[in-house]
Amino acid sequence: MVDFRTDRRAVLGLGAAAALAPRVGRAQPRPPERPRGQVVVGLSQEPTVFNPLMPGIEVDQGVWWNLFSPLWFTDPEGNLVADLAQDVPTTENGGISADGLAWKVKLRPGVTWHDGTPFTAEDVKFTLELINNSAFRARSRVGHQLVRDIQVTAPDEITWRMERAYAPYLSILSLTFMVPKHILGAAGDPNTAPFNNAPVGTGPFRWASRTAGDNITLTANTAYHGNGPFLERVVFKYIPDLTVLYTQFRTGQVDHTSIQGISPPFVREARTLRGRTIHVNQQASVEHIAPNLEYGPLADKAVRQALYMAINKRALIDAIYYGLPTPSESFLPRQSWAFNPDLPAHRHDPAAANALLDQAGWRRGAGGVREKNGVKLEFTNSTTTGNPVREQSQLLLMQDWRAIGAGMRVQNMPAAVIWGEFWQQSRFQSVMVAVNFTLGADPDVTPRFHSSAIGAKGGRGQNNYQFANEEMDRLLVLGATQFDQAQRRATYHRIQALLREELAILPLFQRADVEGVKEGLNGYRPNQNCSSNCWNIREWFWTA
Amino acid sequence: MSGFLVRRLGQSLVLLVLVSMVGFAILHLAPGGPMSQFASGSDMTQEDLDRIAEQLGLNRPLPVQYAEWFWRMLQGDWGRSFRDGEAVLNVIGSHLGATLQLMLTATLLAILLGVAIGTLSAIRRHSVFDTLATVGAMIALSIPTFWFGLVAIYLFSVWLGWLPSGNRSTPGDGSLPDLLRHLILPAMVLALVETAIWSRFMRSSMLDVVNQDYIRTARAKGVPEGRILLRHAFRNAALPMITVLGLQLPTLLGGALVTETVFTWPGMGRLFLDSISYRDYPVVMGILMFSATLVLLGSLLADLLHAVADPRIRLG
Amino acid sequence: MSLTITRPLAAPAFRRFRRHRLAAFGAATILLLTLGCFLGPFLLPFDDTTIDIMNRFAPPLSGVHVLGTDELGRDMLARLMMGGRVSLMVGFTAMAIGMAVGILVGAVAGFHGGWLGAALMRFVDAVLCFPSIFLLLALAALVSPGLLSIIILIGATSWMDVARIVEGQVKSLRERDFAVAAEVLGASDARIIVHELVPNAVAPIVVAATLNVARAILLESYVSFLGYGIQPPVPSWGNMLNNAQIYLTSAPWLAILPGLAITLAVTSFNFLGDGLRDALDPRMRAR
């Protein structure tokens, strides 16, 4: 039997620890009666995609949260909260059938689009169909492609059937924004519709203007169906340079620095600024060294173990990242319900690493670099250029590894190059990268570690490490078809233990982003389960 | 004269086509592609990426893609940006104003200051002023613009609080005083480096002229020094400056990438870099065509001006 | 006081002395910088790549590290010297390549005119049509990153200005008396170009060369930033400056030191160029 409660709880687990830094004493300020004032959000990348179904990055999603609404969303504590839907469908309330195949969603009444047209079940049907429209450049069809027989049974009720039970679909829908049928449906080509640059949604703010390369301005939607908005205007300001972004936050031209807000070297100084609050938010992504497991020396497990032991993780986190992130042994964030807390802890032990390599037959050769059967213990490490903090980490690792006779060379590339075929077709030797392995909040990592997901071998997925392990394949299939959370947790604990043992990735730490908020601005609540902490600007307001 | 014009314009058109071919090939053959940024860790799978690349027509043979692009461009359709789906001409148009505002202000300032400093340096060669001007210019040229920008921001915005630390205007305020306040710092920083360049060329050109026979003859004849400098020397020294101006014309629109980045100025330089980093092929090609046209026009204009200013040059 | 100096014949001895002193200063500084960068690292007790994470951001003159340490605790003096090797090499070699190509193309085009001149200058126009980032992108796709490829990259993007300037000068000089006279006397084309025209166009060439040294040194850091340059940990003055950006207020010496080094090198080269120009310019020689 399929019990969707478990999977709903799956979403719940993420984020409890991400709950906001305690609000400082005094009486809670109250939001104003009418929207008042404006907030300038500084972003280091430019939002350019305003159709929420098309490919976009975090900054785009930050804008979407304010223009559009999903059927339900995940709050910082991990609860699913109904938005455009009346309730979140579950097996108890009859929204989802016991076998997980039949879904029924009742919609909230009285919701209107920004142009005044009522929002109905036809819009939901249109949205789901558009995603599956082969001519449309949809961001992702994962989950959506299983939807069949969409029927509008009443203006405020929609049903559909799933081709097979797919638990993460609740999470996926919590990140799927509804688009208006009466506008996009009337447009000839949805890829180039005028809507894409003048979006109309049901969100708390409506589209006002965009100056390309500079800013996007939204104004309050006074007819919003939920709580808020309390701000008259939101300006998303593109500030490409991080030093400049921080400076503008410092001088007060920017009220909130979002996503890559404040880079670690500025944090100490930022904490001393008057009238500014600094938040350190644990992210779901894990920074790691991605070895190419088919590349010469890195194919040897002993080498990976020795490399891992040689890393002075403490120095890396404390000195280069100013102690902000949390060391990690797993690919999952520690807030996840599936997180395995009993993995063997990393220990920095160059002597043991050296001994391990000696034992495995890697002998020191010319220049102190080890060799075995003519293969040199040498490899390159790549990351995106122009990231000074990552570069410093690379250099530290280089020195750590030189001490055990492993030669690492830096080979950094621009984003458009490194994340292309180089990464996807496993042309790298090793990469330094942060990945959010969860799908929504689900711990399923089949696309990342299943042997059938290796792009370089014609597989479908992102197993760029080229990890192939029979036990892993078996466990991944098991985990995706189990529905009892206790059983599922056991499976994912084993998966994490196996990955830690094999060191298919060398985990460094769970990332922490530092964001700043100007004093007097209330309502900021970081949310690990949404891709942007701009998810709830509707609740923000200035202290009078 | 008109024969020369027709011939040069014809040559320029052929060049434009060649430039577009080479540019198109370089851009598409360079490593990386427009979909890469989505592959680093989002929810998109390889399948999604491949599907979108196909929908964008990126896996057809290169000559086919070029032919289509070229044919559409002839009909006035420069394509749409991969990033925001806007028509390329609109994208360029929306960044042009900001660039022109900044570059024209800075260049005008730089030419005035640079020519004045260069002339003075030349006629008082090896004076204290000349040495100071030289060292000053060298410092201006040796330090990357972003440093001047950052120091200026710290000085005038963070410490003194006199001027805004960037942006073209205050959000919600578009008045003229507000625009001018925002223009001061970036224009000054940009003008600094350009002044250095202009003053070096002007100084050298002026030195060249004051040592020539006709100036010495004029001096020997007792013509007042001021008149010599203005009437004879300056006019001739300005001649090579025309070439420099012709060379500067395209950079006027190419914008000042670094200044734009430091002062978050939404101009062409920034657009070009963002488009290149994203591999936004249609926009990059659009800017390339746009700037190539300007380069060719600038070169033609410089030749024409040269001929007007220096009767010894035959056009041909 | 300056009046006495402006008068052309007022104090020729003093002027010549002053001129030579500056040129000599320039030459000596460049020699010193070069020697320091190429020999200095052998004399230092520190390596430029050794990381000492516990001892980072040590200010200059505060301990065993004379010029302090950087964000990873590496010795600044060692890095300045090693960085100087790269920057000086890139600056001068790329400039030399740019100059050689530019003068050749410009002189031939200006002297010959006609179809050859037109073809050459249209070629210059065509290359100028591509913004430097674009050319860098193209070349980077064809050559693998490294010091040599950077020098070629930068040289290849900096000859067009020179070609334009030289062509303009030569075209106007060709019609002047001395060139016409040389032609009438039956001098060969090459001889006229080398002995009459180019020396007369030397003034703007020297200026362009100076500007190009500075440009090349800074461009190197930019190329590295774009990901086609030398990779860390190899230092250059340009990328040291670039990386120091985020420490502007907390560790200003990280920026001031390489900034000073670049300024010193470029200024010295400029003074040297000024002296060189006097020595080469035939009109100056005549007096």
Side-chain angles (χ1 to χ4, degrees):
Chain A
M1 192 203 96
V2 181
D3 179 1
F4 272 86
R5 273 173 310 177
T6 51
D7 285 283
R8 200 178 137 200
R9 292 252 305 283
V11 181
L12 302 188
L14 248 188
L20 173 71
R23 238 191 243 154
V24 206
R26 285 184 302 197
Q28 288 288 322
R30 288 172 54 83
E33 296 291 312
R34 301 183 57 75
R36 213 180 52 217
Q38 74 174 13
V39 161
V40 180
V41 176
L43 303 168
S44 62
Q45 284 172 295
E46 188 189 2
T48 52
V49 180
F50 308 108
N51 182 327
L53 306 179
M54 292 177 82
I57 52 176
E58 289 95 333
V59 288
D60 298 308
Q61 293 170 17
V63 178
W64 301 346
W65 276 108
N66 294 288
L67 285 169
F68 299 96
S69 320
L71 292 172
W72 47 83
F73 61 89
T74 316
D75 74 4
E77 287 72 43
N79 307 305
L80 285 180
V81 178
D83 192 342
L84 287 176
Q86 186 103 284
D87 300 294
V88 180
T90 57
T91 36
E92 300 96 275
N93 69 14
I96 300 172
S97 65
D99 59 3
L101 295 180
W103 289 51
K104 182 170 81 186
V105 178
K106 185 105 174 125
L107 300 177
R108 178 195 287 256
V111 178
T112 57
W113 295 99
H114 292 157
D115 62 2
T117 312
F119 162 79
T120 70
E122 289 292 343
D123 294 310
V124 181
K125 180 170 190 253
F126 174 76
T127 301
L128 296 179
E129 281 172 353
L130 183 59
I131 292 172
N132 286 317
N133 179 344
S134 61
F136 178 61
R137 294 202 290 270
R139 180 169 76 260
S140 174
R141 294 191 181 135
V142 174
H144 300 295
Q145 64 206 11
L146 301 173
V147 175
R148 298 282 180 279
D149 302 331
I150 307 175
Q151 306 224 328
V152 175
T153 43
D156 63 346
E157 194 181 85
I158 185 166
T159 63
W160 67 79
R161 191 172 58 76
M162 299 293 283
E163 193 181 72
R164 61 181 161 83
Y166 184 60
Y169 197 47
L170 266 177
S171 287
I172 288 172
L173 280 178
S174 78
L175 295 168
T176 304
F177 297 95
M178 296 299 127
V179 295
K181 179 184 185 182
H182 69 283
I183 295 173
L184 256 181
D189 179 359
N191 296 307
T192 57
F195 169 87
N196 298 349
N197 284 301
V200 173
T202 51
F205 293 91
R206 51 175 85 224
W207 182 260
S209 66
R210 166 171 185 239
T211 306
D214 190 55
N215 75 76
I216 289 130
T217 305
L218 312 182
T219 54
N221 169 21
T222 45
Y224 180 59
H225 57 270
N227 188 24
F230 307 117
L231 294 167
E232 217 173 338
R233 199 164 40 228
V234 179
V235 180
F236 292 94
K237 177 92 182 89
Y238 169 45
I239 302 174
D241 186 275
L242 284 176
T243 310
V244 178
L245 178 57
Y246 169 66
T247 308
Q248 291 210 8
F249 175 64
R250 191 176 159 178
T251 57
Q253 281 167 288
V254 161
D255 301 312
H256 167 54
T257 63
S258 193
I259 305 183
Q260 285 191 357
I262 300 175
S263 57
F266 295 129
V267 171
R268 191 176 299 170
E269 187 194 87
R271 284 193 163 128
T272 66
L273 294 181
R274 297 180 60 172
R276 308 281 184 278
T277 319
I278 305 302
H279 299 266
V280 180
N281 306 322
Q282 297 296 317
Q283 302 296 303
S285 53
V286 173
E287 177 100 358
H288 61 273
I289 298 293
N292 184 342
L293 301 173
E294 299 274 302
Y295 175 73
L298 297 175
D300 185 343
K301 179 171 152 188
V303 167
R304 299 198 298 276
Q305 285 172 328
L307 289 176
Y308 193 53
M309 266 196 279
I311 297 175
N312 188 349
K313 231 192 229 193
R314 207 61 261 173
L316 188 131
I317 292 176
D318 285 351
I320 292 172
Y321 286 90
Y322 295 83
L324 299 168
T326 325
S328 182
E329 304 294 339
S330 169
F331 61 88
L332 282 176
R334 56 184 54 245
Q335 291 79 11
S336 166
W337 60 267
F339 177 75
N340 182 347
D342 305 320
L343 297 174
H346 167 266
R347 106 193 119 88
H348 171 53
D349 192 344
N354 266 319
L356 187 64
L357 287 174
D358 287 338
Q359 204 183 348
W362 292 91
R363 303 263 171 267
R364 287 201 190 247
V369 175
R370 289 176 186 271
E371 266 185 60
K372 181 182 178 180
N373 306 332
V375 179
K376 284 195 158 188
L377 214 179
E378 275 180 331
F379 55 94
T380 60
N381 183 264
S382 310
T383 193
T384 35
T385 46
N387 187 334
V389 180
R390 276 237 176 97
E391 255 172 36
Q392 291 171 23
S393 310
Q394 286 179 316
L395 298 179
L396 205 60
L397 292 181
M398 187 191 262
Q399 176 149 312
D400 285 346
W401 288 338
R402 197 187 297 136
I404 60 162
M408 185 262 257
R409 213 157 42 78
V410 174
Q411 192 197 357
N412 292 343
M413 304 171 185
V417 179
I418 187 170
W419 306 124
E421 289 185 344
F422 183 74
W423 170 242
Q424 296 170 43
Q425 297 294 319
S426 306
R427 309 251 163 89
F428 60 94
Q429 297 175 3
S430 77
V431 161
M432 180 179 277
V433 62
V435 171
N436 180 354
F437 287 93
T438 58
L439 178 69
D442 201 273
D444 181 22
V445 278
T446 310
R448 299 280 182 181
F449 295 113
H450 197 280
S451 63
S452 70
I454 302 172
K457 295 180 180 166
R460 293 192 338 196
Q462 293 152 294
N463 185 353
N464 307 327
Y465 319 101
Q466 311 206 56
F467 183 63
N469 180 300
E470 270 177 40
E471 186 187 356
M472 178 59 81
D473 288 356
R474 200 170 45 72
L475 286 167
L476 285 170
V477 171
L478 181 67
T481 47
Q482 278 175 319
F483 288 93
D484 178 78
Q485 186 168 339
Q487 288 176 12
R488 225 182 155 203
R489 181 184 284 127
T491 308
Y492 286 99
H493 276 197
R494 178 65 199 133
I495 286 176
Q496 289 167 76
L498 185 62
L499 277 174
R500 173 65 181 82
E501 165 63 23
E502 291 294 323
L503 283 171
I505 63 169
L506 310 188
L508 294 173
F509 52 79
Q510 185 183 341
R511 279 186 73 91
D513 277 2
V514 182
E515 299 189 341
V517 180
K518 202 186 263 180
E519 215 169 70
L521 185 59
N522 307 281
Y524 169 79
R525 280 164 76 202
N527 188 343
Q528 209 180 50
N529 306 307
C530 298
S531 36
S532 163
N533 289 333
C534 296
W535 72 289
N536 73 333
I537 298 184
R538 58 179 181 261
E539 292 168 4
W540 295 9
F541 62 92
W542 290 104
T543 309
Chain B
M1 184 83 176
S2 69
F4 165 80
L5 258 183
V6 169
R7 205 164 56 241
R8 273 296 291 273
L9 285 175
Q11 289 171 353
S12 297
L13 275 180
V14 174
L15 271 190
L16 264 183
V17 175
L18 286 176
V19 164
S20 77
M21 277 182 180
V22 175
F24 199 89
I26 289 175
L27 194 58
H28 284 74
L29 294 177
M35 286 296 120
S36 303
Q37 66 156 348
F38 297 116
S40 67
S42 69
D43 52 348
M44 293 180 69
T45 64
Q46 184 60 45
E47 218 180 336
D48 292 317
L49 297 171
D50 291 345
R51 168 175 52 80
I52 290 173
E54 192 172 329
Q55 283 170 330
L56 289 172
L58 289 174
N59 39 15
R60 293 172 301 165
L62 207 52
V64 176
Q65 291 189 50
Y66 176 78
E68 195 198 327
W69 173 83
F70 188 76
W71 180 241
R72 287 189 173 209
M73 197 194 58
L74 287 185
Q75 295 164 311
D77 174 8
W78 291 39
R80 282 173 183 277
S81 160
F82 288 165
R83 287 206 299 160
D84 60 8
E86 279 278 2
V88 168
L89 282 176
N90 290 351
V91 175
I92 293 177
S94 64
H95 287 78
L96 209 55
T99 291
L100 280 179
Q101 184 196 0
L102 178 62
M103 294 303 285
L104 284 180
T105 314
T107 308
L108 215 65
L109 212 66
I111 293 181
L112 287 178
L113 277 174
V115 167
I117 293 174
T119 311
L120 212 61
S121 278
I123 54 183
R124 298 193 173 174
R125 193 173 183 209
H126 299 312
S127 68
V128 175
F129 176 84
D130 181 31
T131 311
L132 281 181
T134 302
V135 174
M138 290 307 126
I139 293 176
L141 287 170
S142 317
I143 310 236
T145 319
F146 68 78
W147 271 104
F148 287 119
L150 286 178
V151 170
I153 288 175
Y154 273 97
L155 200 63
F156 293 103
S157 308
V158 178
W159 286 328
L160 297 172
W162 290 350
L163 293 166
S165 62
N167 307 339
R168 220 178 146 198
S169 64
T170 312
D173 183 358
S175 62
L176 189 65
D178 185 61
L179 286 175
L180 288 179
R181 257 167 52 82
H182 281 84
L183 183 62
I184 297 175
L185 275 188
M188 295 242 296
V189 165
L190 192 55
L192 189 70
V193 179
E194 285 194 26
T195 305
I197 297 177
W198 280 97
S199 73
R200 292 328 285 167
F201 275 114
M202 190 64 206
R203 175 180 181 272
S204 134
S205 181
M206 194 73 184
L207 276 181
D208 222 18
V209 172
V210 288
N211 288 312
Q212 301 218 344
D213 299 340
Y214 60 92
I215 300 290
R216 272 187 266 159
T217 314
R219 275 209 185 101
K221 274 162 64 187
V223 180
E225 188 73 19
R227 212 167 121 207
I228 293 178
L229 290 176
L230 271 182
R231 282 277 297 275
H232 302 277
F234 186 77
R235 206 186 140 199
N236 281 294
L239 198 64
M241 293 298 102
I242 294 172
T243 314
V244 179
L245 189 67
L247 282 168
Q248 294 276 311
L249 189 72
T251 61
L252 208 66
L253 280 173
L257 172 65
V258 178
T259 315
E260 287 177 4
T261 304
V262 172
F263 291 97
T264 52
W265 200 265
M268 296 284 285
R270 200 59 232 174
L271 174 69
F272 189 63
L273 184 69
D274 283 353
S275 304
I276 283 245
S277 343
Y278 184 99
R279 303 289 191 267
D280 189 349
Y281 299 145
V283 176
V284 176
M285 282 309 293
I287 299 178
L288 183 62
M289 288 294 92
F290 203 78
S291 74
T293 311
L294 278 167
V295 171
L296 296 174
L297 282 180
S299 151
L300 181 57
L301 208 68
D303 282 0
L304 283 177
L305 282 175
H306 241 242
V308 173
D310 187 349
R312 280 175 309 220
I313 291 180
R314 294 183 306 248
L315 289 174
Chain C
M1 161 221 136
S2 57
L3 265 182
T4 54
I5 299 168
T6 49
R7 288 282 159 217
L9 298 168
F14 175 70
R15 265 187 52 200
R16 219 172 294 139
F17 169 72
R18 178 137 185 173
R19 193 160 72 210
H20 276 261
R21 206 177 58 174
L22 280 176
F25 161 80
T29 314
I30 288 177
L31 198 70
L32 269 176
L33 278 175
T34 314
L35 281 178
C37 290
F38 284 86
L39 299 179
F42 296 110
L43 307 173
L44 264 188
F46 302 105
D47 189 281
D48 67 304
T49 53
T50 304
I51 294 172
D52 179 6
I53 202 78
M54 304 319 286
N55 192 21
R56 61 203 207 124
F57 298 122
L61 302 175
S62 67
V64 285
H65 300 278
V66 183
L67 294 180
T69 60
D70 71 355
E71 68 273 13
L72 286 170
R74 294 172 292 189
D75 185 66
M76 277 299 278
L77 182 57
R79 280 179 64 73
L80 275 176
M81 288 171 169
M82 295 304 284
R85 290 187 182 184
V86 172
S87 287
L88 290 174
M89 203 132 85
V90 168
F92 291 112
T93 325
M95 178 274 293
I97 294 176
M99 286 293 131
V101 177
I103 292 173
L104 186 71
V105 172
V108 171
F111 184 78
H112 275 282
W115 70 267
L116 181 64
L120 280 175
M121 289 326 285
R122 292 302 77 75
F123 178 64
V124 171
D125 284 349
V127 181
L128 269 174
C129 281
F130 295 101
S132 342
I133 314 180
F134 205 92
L135 287 180
L136 294 175
L137 190 76
L139 289 165
L142 305 173
V143 294
S144 58
L147 189 59
L148 186 68
S149 57
I150 291 184
I151 292 175
I152 296 171
L153 278 179
I154 295 175
T157 59
S158 60
W159 60 273
M160 296 87 76
D161 297 18
V162 183
R164 274 273 194 83
I165 291 166
V166 171
E167 191 249 8
Q169 286 280 308
V170 168
K171 202 152 81 178
S172 97
L173 287 171
R174 191 180 56 163
E175 306 299 325
R176 294 203 190 158
D177 308 337
F178 59 90
V180 175
E183 208 171 352
V184 170
L185 289 174
S188 72
D189 288 1
R191 197 186 154 75
I192 297 174
I193 291 178
V194 173
H195 287 270
E196 308 292 340
L197 299 182
V198 170
N200 275 293
V202 79
I205 292 178
V206 167
V207 177
T210 317
L211 297 179
N212 272 350
V213 171
R215 182 174 170 275
I217 290 179
L218 295 183
L219 208 55
E220 176 274 318
S221 71
Y222 188 58
V223 179
S224 301
F225 175 77
L226 285 177
Y228 302 122
I230 48 166
Q231 297 276 4
V234 178
S236 74
W237 290 341
N239 68 30
M240 286 173 77
L241 252 180
N242 234 340
N243 291 339
Q245 203 191 133
I246 43 181
Y247 307 108
L248 175 62
T249 47
S250 55
W253 64 91
L254 294 188
I256 293 171
L257 291 172
L260 271 178
I262 299 180
T263 311
L264 197 62
V266 174
T267 314
S268 307
F269 182 74
N270 179 69
F271 286 137
L272 185 67
D274 227 25
L276 215 62
R277 169 199 139 106
D278 283 3
L280 291 177
D281 194 320
R283 289 183 302 270
M284 302 269 185
R285 224 171 4 196
R287 282 184 296 129

